Amino acid sequence: MKETPPVSQSGIAMIYEYAGIAKRGKWLILGSVAFSVALAWSYCVLASQYYRSESLIIAEEQNRLDNVVKAGGEGNFDQQLFVIQRQMLSQDFLGEIVRELNPYPDALEEGGETFAALALAGAIKVEKIKTDNAGNSLGGNGVEAFTVSFMHGNPKTAMQVTARIAEKFIKENTKGREQDVESELKFFDDELRGQKLELEKKEEQLSAFKKAHISDLPQQTDASFRSLDRLENEINLVNENIQRHSDRLAMLDKSVQEYQTYGRQNPAFKSASMEPDPLFHQLQELREKLVILKAEFRDEYPEIILTKEGIRKVEEELVELYGPDAIKPNKKPLDPYLQDLVKQQSEVKSELNLLRQREQTLRASRNDYERRVERTPAVEQDLLALERDYASMKSNYAMLLDKRLHARVVGNMEKHQKSGKFRILDSARLPRSPSIPNRTRVLTLGFLFGCVLGAGLSVMRERLTPQFRGAEDVELLMGPQLLVAIPDFSFLMKGQHQFPISNMEKRSLGGIEGSQLEVTETERPQGSPQNGDRCRERFVAKVFPHSMAAEQYRVAAARLQLLNTNAGASIVAVTSAIKGEGKTTTVINLGYTLARDFGKRVLLLDCDFVCPELKHFSETAIKYGLADCCRGDIPLEEAMTSFTDIPCWIMPEGRIGPGSTELLKTGPLERVLAQLREKFDYILINAPPILPVATMNVLERHTDLLLLVVRANLTSQQVVKRAVSSLRASNPIHVVLNCVPMKALPYYMSEYSAIQDRTLV
């Protein structure tokens, strides 16, 4: 899996990328900056000039009435400044100035005093300041200040209007001081009356709250907890008594059941006297008496009624003691032992009922105290809120009383001292330079706008016309067809001295039927100068054989040999999409490297009849070339020249006429190439560009391999794609990426280049 580069590396790469864009578009950026600055300067020269005069006003006497009424903070002065701005820009304030100075006569004639006052207000500016021109603070000791300024086309008018505005403001402010004192004293009196009424209401509300929650107040919390402890103890004691009586009742029930079933008596409940209850005997006597009375008298007889009432009372007592079965007429009197047990049961049940009622009463009291304790925090919060409001209102009332006292003292002082709150510290002056346009600001903005515009256009141009930056761009567009990436070696010539390209000694072709090729010294054809300096800069394989660029040409030569699958000579056409890609430079350096480092017999054939350049690299002048050989009147040996130290020959374009380009489309070219195949290992054709002319479509049929030279950071990717699609080559096309910046190369190549540079030095 491919690792994601660190953020720092990607950021550095992006910086390098945009730096490269800026470098490539430097002329566009400089042109944009120059154009923007020129426009800004034109605006400064042609625009109308306006002058602004300014007056500085400070606020004084902050320790007097203003400190009594207000806290004296910065926010209060900001509020005052807003009022001051509204006052100075009002029509009533500016109307008198319009009538006195008339700064806008045209506006006064067209729209009257109102229209002129509006125009005047639009040119006035009131601003707060904290420092003076020397940078000294004005607000450090409680002093606040502001400036009032006016802008006009006439500097004298600007100064007069500014001075009049400041004077009028000071005058009106002085007149209003006594009115302010009276209004402020009245304000204090009204506030005190209102605060007193609210304070009394708050006292009544606090007292009513305490009365309504007398048992829930925080002071009663300890007493409530003590009562809860006492009630809890009593409830526990009652529960113990209930449990004890319940156990006794259970034992009595068990004893009764055992006696009735088995006749066994429990010694624990055996009393000393085992006599029957006298109530049974009394009931028997009353019943017998009732029978005798009914026999003699009617039921309405008083004695019968009293007897019945006595029977009812005795029965109720017996039912309560021994149950309903004890009063049945035919019921035998209870056994004394059983009678005593039943009586004890009745007594225990009565005591249990009383204890349970007592428990319920105690639990109800405990729940009431618990609710009180639970309500105490809420009541405490409400009480604290009321007390806090009461304390705040009381504090405000005391503060108002103190301020009213000070206000009366300061009011008496104001009546005896005629002074204003504001004072002019710096009067309006005659402006020397215009405020609009601000030349420094306009030129700075123009410069910045030009930089942004140029950078934006450069980036847009790069994005709209993508170019080849490095080897990966070629591989993304054309696949794995990159032969080599040649670094930019133009820096190698910096600081180097020129050297003459002298006419070297003649070199035999050796192997051309055993004869020697002799080239005589002749003058170069007219229009074909030697251009020694220019050729030296491009001939890096010979001039700087140990540089990284020369090493990459050796890499290209080695790969070219691997691509050559033919047993015989190989014809390689070197072309480009458009002119200026460096195909001639590639031909001369690649051919020189094949001959010098690999011992190959190489011919450099110039087929670019429009812009031929191979002849400039020859060590000796030659009169004939390819065009002459195609016409059939010149032998091959007379149309080429060689280097003195390596088996490399150059065949220039020859004598070019009006129809010379047509020679490349006819049979003679094929005949010449067939003869050359027998004499050389490699034939490198300097072919014309693909897009400008159609010659490359003809040459492609005669070649074994095509090399497409692409210049990094110059050739558009769309141009290369269009050139490749228009060529429709049957042979494979391999790319030579030329003039690659050093920063775009891999780090290992850069390090190797640094080592070579130190070696060269």
Side-chain angles (χ1 to χ4, degrees), residues 158-263:
M159 180 188 68
Q160 293 175 350
V161 172
T162 303
R164 185 69 183 91
I165 291 174
E167 293 173 359
K168 183 175 176 60
F169 169 74
I170 296 297
K171 182 179 179 181
E172 292 186 357
N173 179 263
T174 303
K175 290 181 180 179
R177 293 296 290 170
E178 293 183 1
Q179 297 178 357
D180 292 342
V181 171
E182 296 297 332
S183 61
E184 286 160 359
L185 289 175
K186 184 177 181 299
F187 166 77
F188 282 127
D189 293 336
D190 295 340
E191 286 293 320
L192 282 172
R193 285 193 294 270
Q195 287 285 343
K196 186 176 181 181
L197 292 176
E198 292 182 2
L199 189 61
E200 292 174 353
K201 291 180 181 179
K202 186 62 68 173
E203 289 178 351
E204 295 176 358
Q205 184 180 0
L206 183 60
S207 177
F209 182 83
K210 288 182 177 181
K211 291 179 181 179
H213 300 84
I214 187 65
S215 61
D216 301 331
L217 293 176
Q219 296 82 356
Q220 302 297 328
T221 303
D222 294 338
S224 298
F225 279 117
R226 289 194 296 271
S227 299
L228 282 173
D229 294 339
R230 179 179 55 80
L231 289 172
E232 192 67 30
N233 294 331
E234 291 182 4
I235 290 173
N236 292 334
L237 182 60
V238 170
N239 287 333
E240 292 176 358
N241 292 331
I242 290 174
Q243 184 64 33
R244 186 171 60 254
H245 284 74
S246 297
D247 295 341
R248 182 175 177 79
L249 181 61
M251 294 177 64
L252 287 170
D253 292 339
K254 183 178 180 182
S255 299
V256 169
Q257 185 178 3
E258 288 179 352
Y259 183 75
Q260 290 176 349
T261 304
Y262 305 105

Side-chain angles (χ1 to χ4, degrees), residues 602-671:
V602 182
L603 175 64
L604 309 180
L605 184 61
D606 199 347
C607 291
D608 189 355
F609 290 172
V610 178
C611 298
E613 292 187 350
L614 277 181
K615 58 187 176 183
H616 301 311
F617 293 91
S618 61
E619 296 179 352
T620 58
I622 186 169
K623 183 177 180 181
Y624 304 108
L626 176 61
D628 302 302
C629 295
C630 289
R631 295 190 185 98
D633 52 354
I634 297 297
L636 296 178
E637 291 79 0
E638 298 183 8
M640 64 180 69
T641 181
S642 68
F643 291 94
T644 57
D645 53 345
I646 59 173
C648 181
W649 284 262
I650 295 177
M651 179 178 286
E653 75 284 0
R655 293 176 296 180
I656 301 174
S660 299
T661 306
E662 298 297 328
L663 296 174
L664 301 177
K665 302 179 182 179
T666 58
L669 177 61
E670 185 175 358
R671 173 180 57 81

Side-chain angles (χ1 to χ4, degrees), residues 325-339:
D325 294 338
I327 61 173
K328 291 182 179 180
N330 299 327
K331 183 71 175 179
K332 294 180 179 181
L334 294 174
D335 183 85
Y337 175 76
L338 184 60
Q339 176 182 324

